[in-house]
Amino acid sequence: MSRIITEKEFNDRLEDTFIENDYELVTGPGRSGAITAVYVSHKFGIPFLPYKQIVVGKKIIVVDTTINTGRTLRKASKFYNNSDKYYVFGNQERYYFWYENITK
């Protein structure tokens, strides 16, 4: 089963679930993580950090659009000294996002 997530739903979910915690930088693994990180950066005023760029002594949050097993976010968090991590949607179904070119 799959469904398309609109930008409004994505934005609303961020407003309802994202906890601001004085983060100094936001990053995300892969394409969807980068999109989420840039979105969070603009929405909450947290500077964006390209994934795997080395930074020392900053409070970083690692974000992604969805989570399946959690392995990708755990690995990314570990890379950034076990930084906090956040995902927008769980793995109940296959999601497509408003920015994707979906042809069925």
Coordinates of all heavy atoms in Angstrom, one line a residue, residues 6-40:
T6 N 1.5 15.2 0.7 CA 1.6 16.6 0.2 C 2.5 17.4 1.0 O 2.9 17.1 2.1 CB 0.2 17.3 0.2 OG1 -0.2 17.4 1.6 CG2 -0.9 16.5 -0.6
E7 N 2.9 18.6 0.4 CA 3.8 19.5 1.2 C 3.1 19.9 2.5 O 3.7 20.1 3.5 CB 4.3 20.6 0.4 CG 5.3 21.5 1.1 CD 5.8 22.6 0.3 OE1 5.4 22.9 -0.8 OE2 6.7 23.3 0.9
K8 N 1.8 20.2 2.4 CA 1.1 20.7 3.6 C 1.1 19.6 4.7 O 1.3 19.9 5.8 CB -0.4 21.0 3.2 CG -1.2 21.5 4.4 CD -2.6 21.8 4.1 CE -3.4 22.3 5.3 NZ -2.9 22.1 6.6
E9 N 0.9 18.3 4.3 CA 0.9 17.3 5.3 C 2.3 17.1 5.9 O 2.5 17.0 7.1 CB 0.5 15.9 4.7 CG 0.4 14.8 5.7 CD -0.1 13.5 5.1 OE1 -0.4 13.4 3.9 OE2 -0.1 12.5 5.9
F10 N 3.3 17.2 5.1 CA 4.7 17.2 5.5 C 5.0 18.3 6.5 O 5.5 18.1 7.6 CB 5.7 17.2 4.3 CG 7.1 17.0 4.6 CD1 7.6 15.8 4.8 CD2 8.0 18.1 4.8 CE1 9.0 15.6 5.0 CE2 9.3 18.0 5.0 CZ 9.8 16.7 5.2
N11 N 4.6 19.5 6.1 CA 4.8 20.7 7.0 C 4.0 20.6 8.3 O 4.6 20.9 9.3 CB 4.4 21.9 6.2 CG 4.6 23.2 7.0 OD1 5.8 23.5 7.3 ND2 3.6 23.9 7.3
D12 N 2.8 20.1 8.2 CA 2.0 20.0 9.4 C 2.6 19.0 10.4 O 2.6 19.2 11.6 CB 0.5 19.6 9.1 CG -0.2 20.7 8.4 OD1 0.2 21.8 8.4 OD2 -1.3 20.4 7.9
R13 N 3.1 17.9 9.8 CA 3.7 16.8 10.6 C 5.0 17.4 11.4 O 5.2 17.1 12.5 CB 4.1 15.6 9.8 CG 4.8 14.5 10.5 CD 3.9 13.8 11.6 NE 2.9 13.0 11.0 CZ 3.0 11.7 10.8 NH1 4.1 11.1 11.2 NH2 2.0 11.0 10.3
L14 N 5.8 18.2 10.6 CA 6.9 18.8 11.3 C 6.5 19.7 12.4 O 7.1 19.7 13.5 CB 7.7 19.6 10.2 CG 8.7 18.8 9.3 CD1 9.3 19.8 8.3 CD2 9.7 18.1 10.1
E15 N 5.5 20.5 12.2 CA 5.0 21.4 13.2 C 4.5 20.7 14.4 O 4.7 21.1 15.6 CB 3.9 22.3 12.7 CG 4.4 23.4 11.8 CD 3.4 24.4 11.4 OE1 2.2 24.4 11.9 OE2 3.7 25.3 10.5
D16 N 3.9 19.5 14.2 CA 3.3 18.7 15.3 C 4.3 17.9 16.1 O 4.1 17.6 17.2 CB 2.2 17.8 14.8 CG 1.0 18.6 14.3 OD1 0.8 19.7 14.6 OD2 0.2 17.9 13.6
T17 N 5.4 17.5 15.4 CA 6.3 16.5 16.0 C 7.7 16.9 16.2 O 8.4 16.3 17.0 CB 6.3 15.2 15.2 OG1 6.8 15.4 13.9 CG2 4.9 14.6 15.1
F18 N 8.2 17.9 15.5 CA 9.6 18.3 15.6 C 9.8 19.1 16.9 O 9.1 20.0 17.2 CB 10.1 19.1 14.4 CG 11.5 19.4 14.4 CD1 12.4 18.4 14.0 CD2 12.0 20.6 14.9 CE1 13.8 18.7 14.0 CE2 13.4 20.9 14.9 CZ 14.3 19.9 14.5
I19 N 10.8 18.7 17.7 CA 11.1 19.3 18.9 C 12.4 20.2 18.8 O 13.4 19.6 18.5 CB 11.3 18.3 20.1 CG1 10.0 17.6 20.3 CG2 11.7 19.0 21.3 CD1 10.1 16.4 21.2
E20 N 12.2 21.5 18.8 CA 13.4 22.3 18.8 C 14.1 22.2 20.1 O 13.5 22.2 21.1 CB 13.0 23.8 18.5 CG 12.4 24.0 17.1 CD 12.0 25.4 16.8 OE1 13.0 26.2 16.6 OE2 10.8 25.7 16.9
N21 N 15.4 22.1 20.0 CA 16.2 21.9 21.2 C 17.6 22.6 21.0 O 18.6 22.0 21.3 CB 16.4 20.4 21.3 CG 16.9 20.0 22.7 OD1 17.1 20.9 23.6 ND2 17.2 18.8 22.9
D22 N 17.6 23.8 20.6 CA 18.8 24.6 20.5 C 19.8 23.9 19.6 O 21.0 24.0 19.8 CB 19.4 24.9 21.8 CG 18.5 25.8 22.7 OD1 17.8 26.6 22.1 OD2 18.5 25.6 23.9
Y23 N 19.4 23.3 18.5 CA 20.3 22.7 17.6 C 21.0 23.7 16.8 O 20.5 24.7 16.4 CB 19.6 21.7 16.6 CG 18.9 20.6 17.3 CD1 17.5 20.5 17.4 CD2 19.7 19.6 17.9 CE1 16.9 19.4 18.0 CE2 19.1 18.5 18.5 CZ 17.7 18.4 18.6 OH 17.1 17.4 19.3
E24 N 22.3 23.5 16.6 CA 23.1 24.5 15.9 C 23.2 24.1 14.4 O 23.5 25.0 13.6 CB 24.5 24.5 16.5 CG 24.5 25.0 17.9 CD 25.9 24.9 18.6 OE1 26.2 23.9 19.1 OE2 26.6 26.0 18.6
L25 N 23.0 22.9 14.0 CA 23.1 22.4 12.6 C 22.1 21.3 12.4 O 21.8 20.5 13.3 CB 24.5 21.9 12.3 CG 25.6 23.0 12.4 CD1 27.0 22.3 12.4 CD2 25.5 24.0 11.3
V26 N 21.6 21.2 11.2 CA 20.8 20.1 10.8 C 21.3 19.4 9.5 O 21.8 20.1 8.6 CB 19.3 20.5 10.6 CG1 19.2 21.6 9.5 CG2 18.4 19.3 10.3
T27 N 21.3 18.1 9.5 CA 21.8 17.3 8.3 C 20.9 16.1 8.1 O 20.1 15.8 9.0 CB 23.3 16.9 8.5 OG1 23.8 16.5 7.2 CG2 23.4 15.9 9.6
G28 N 21.0 15.5 7.0 CA 20.3 14.3 6.7 C 20.9 13.4 5.6 O 21.5 13.9 4.7
P29 N 20.9 12.1 5.8 CA 21.5 11.2 4.9 C 20.7 11.0 3.6 O 19.5 11.0 3.6 CB 21.6 9.9 5.7 CG 20.4 9.9 6.6 CD 20.3 11.4 7.0
G30 N 21.4 10.8 2.5 CA 20.7 10.5 1.2 C 19.9 11.7 0.7 O 19.9 12.8 1.2
R31 N 19.2 11.4 -0.4 CA 18.4 12.5 -1.0 C 17.3 12.9 -0.1 O 17.0 14.1 0.1 CB 17.9 12.0 -2.4 CG 18.9 11.8 -3.4 CD 18.4 11.3 -4.7 NE 17.8 10.0 -4.4 CZ 17.2 9.3 -5.3 NH1 17.1 9.7 -6.6 NH2 16.6 8.1 -5.0
S32 N 16.5 12.0 0.4 CA 15.3 12.4 1.2 C 15.8 13.0 2.5 O 15.1 14.0 3.0 CB 14.4 11.2 1.5 OG 14.9 10.3 2.3
G33 N 16.9 12.6 3.1 CA 17.4 13.2 4.3 C 17.8 14.6 4.0 O 17.6 15.5 4.8
A34 N 18.5 14.8 2.9 CA 18.9 16.2 2.5 C 17.7 17.1 2.3 O 17.7 18.3 2.8 CB 19.7 16.1 1.2
I35 N 16.7 16.6 1.7 CA 15.5 17.4 1.5 C 14.8 17.8 2.8 O 14.5 18.9 3.0 CB 14.5 16.7 0.5 CG1 15.0 16.7 -0.9 CG2 13.1 17.3 0.6 CD1 14.3 15.8 -1.8
T36 N 14.7 16.8 3.7 CA 14.1 17.1 5.0 C 15.0 18.0 5.8 O 14.5 19.0 6.4 CB 14.0 15.8 5.8 OG1 13.1 14.9 5.0 CG2 13.3 16.0 7.1
A37 N 16.3 17.9 5.7 CA 17.2 18.8 6.4 C 17.1 20.2 5.9 O 17.1 21.1 6.7 CB 18.7 18.3 6.3
V38 N 17.0 20.4 4.6 CA 16.9 21.7 4.1 C 15.5 22.3 4.5 O 15.5 23.5 4.9 CB 17.1 21.7 2.6 CG1 16.6 23.1 1.9 CG2 18.5 21.4 2.2
Y39 N 14.5 21.5 4.5 CA 13.2 22.0 4.9 C 13.2 22.4 6.3 O 12.7 23.5 6.7 CB 12.2 20.8 4.6 CG 10.7 21.3 4.5 CD1 10.2 21.5 3.2 CD2 9.9 21.6 5.5 CE1 8.9 21.9 3.0 CE2 8.6 22.0 5.4 CZ 8.1 22.2 4.1 OH 6.8 22.6 3.9
V40 N 13.8 21.6 7.2 CA 13.9 21.9 8.6 C 14.7 23.1 8.8 O 14.4 24.0 9.6 CB 14.4 20.7 9.4 CG1 14.9 21.1 10.8 CG2 13.4 19.6 9.5

